[in-house]
């Protein structure tokens, strides 16, 4: 499995995942930049994603939903804050209602993705920053840590294909 660490830092309100891949940096970047590839790993295996809108430019949005084993749908959105292709991506990540509108009663987080050359392949660091300890604890209790590990754990197979 490519995930090498997941660090929860309650003092700094961050959850940081680090994964190493045996693939060139530009190839790993395409997993974010191509919506068809993104939906093959964004979400745990039992909750595959369907990307509806994918505008990976500053100010752009990505909208998606994950479909659960019982056919239930869980919608989400990103608001892109910066893109430094092929090494950096930053966005705000949140939940949406059935109509795709942001849910005000659910946490949002700032996500920073960094890709760098590492040991002949690519290291991906994905850092989520929460607004409060309560929001971070809520997301962790909802299974965010395990979900991220499972989602990113699917990337090796995509890179090998």
């Amino acid at each position: 499995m490519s995930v090498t660490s997941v660090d929860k830092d309650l003092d700094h309100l961050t959850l940081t995942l680090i994964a190493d891949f045996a693939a060139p940096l530009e190839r790993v970047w395409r997993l974010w930049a191509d919506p068809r590839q993104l939906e093959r790993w964004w979400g745990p295996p039992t909750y595959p994603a369907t990307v509806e809108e994918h505008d990976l430019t500053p100010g752009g949005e990505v909208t998606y939903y994950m479909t659960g084993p019982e056919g239930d749908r869980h919608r989400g959105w990103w608001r892109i804050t910066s893109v430094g292709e092929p090494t950096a991506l930053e966005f705000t990540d949140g939940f949406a209602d059935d109509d795709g509108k942001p849910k005000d009663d659910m946490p949002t987080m700032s996500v920073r993705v960094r890709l760098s050359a590492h040991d002949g392949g690519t290291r991906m660091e994905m850092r989520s920053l929460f607004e409060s300890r309560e929001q971070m604890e809520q997301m962790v209790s909802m299974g965010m840590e395990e979900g991220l590990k499972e989602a990113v754990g699917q990337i090796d197979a995509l890179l090998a294909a």
Side-chain angles (χ1 to χ4, degrees):
M1 183 150 153
S2 53
V3 175
T4 58
S5 69
V6 178
D7 178 50
K8 287 183 290 206
D9 185 338
L10 290 171
D11 293 331
H12 293 99
L13 303 176
T14 58
L15 179 73
T16 305
L17 178 141
I18 296 177
D20 293 323
F21 304 105
L25 196 135
E26 292 78 11
R27 174 65 185 102
V28 176
W29 173 259
R30 282 196 305 271
L31 295 171
W32 292 92
D34 178 344
R36 300 298 70 92
Q37 291 185 49
L38 179 64
E39 64 190 9
R40 293 183 61 201
W41 71 270
W42 185 257
T46 57
Y47 283 83
T50 300
V51 176
E52 297 176 301
E53 183 179 339
H54 188 271
D55 180 3
L56 218 58
T57 59
E61 290 191 357
V62 173
T63 60
Y64 64 92
Y65 61 87
M66 291 187 232
T67 305
E70 306 301 318
D72 48 313
R73 286 190 177 178
H74 307 273
R75 294 187 172 276
W77 55 268
W78 300 348
R79 288 207 179 93
I80 308 303
T81 51
S82 72
V83 179
E85 183 180 340
T87 61
L89 174 65
E90 294 184 20
F91 56 93
T92 303
D93 185 10
F95 294 88
D97 64 19
D98 291 339
D99 297 323
K101 294 183 175 79
K103 291 178 85 170
D104 296 332
D105 62 339
M106 291 296 289
T108 60
M109 65 203 91
S110 298
V111 179
R112 184 188 79 188
V113 178
R114 295 290 184 262
L115 302 177
S116 58
H118 180 76
D119 285 345
T122 301
R123 171 163 283 178
M124 179 173 73
E125 177 183 317
M126 189 182 333
R127 182 176 150 242
S128 299
L129 174 65
F130 301 88
E131 293 177 7
S132 70
R133 187 179 185 112
E134 293 75 28
Q135 285 186 345
M136 182 174 179
E137 289 172 346
Q138 180 182 3
M139 292 302 298
V140 169
S141 72
M142 290 172 63
M144 180 180 176
E145 182 178 357
E146 294 80 11
L148 271 176
K149 285 181 192 176
E150 289 179 7
V152 173
Q154 301 172 104
I155 291 178
D156 282 327
L158 294 174
L159 294 171

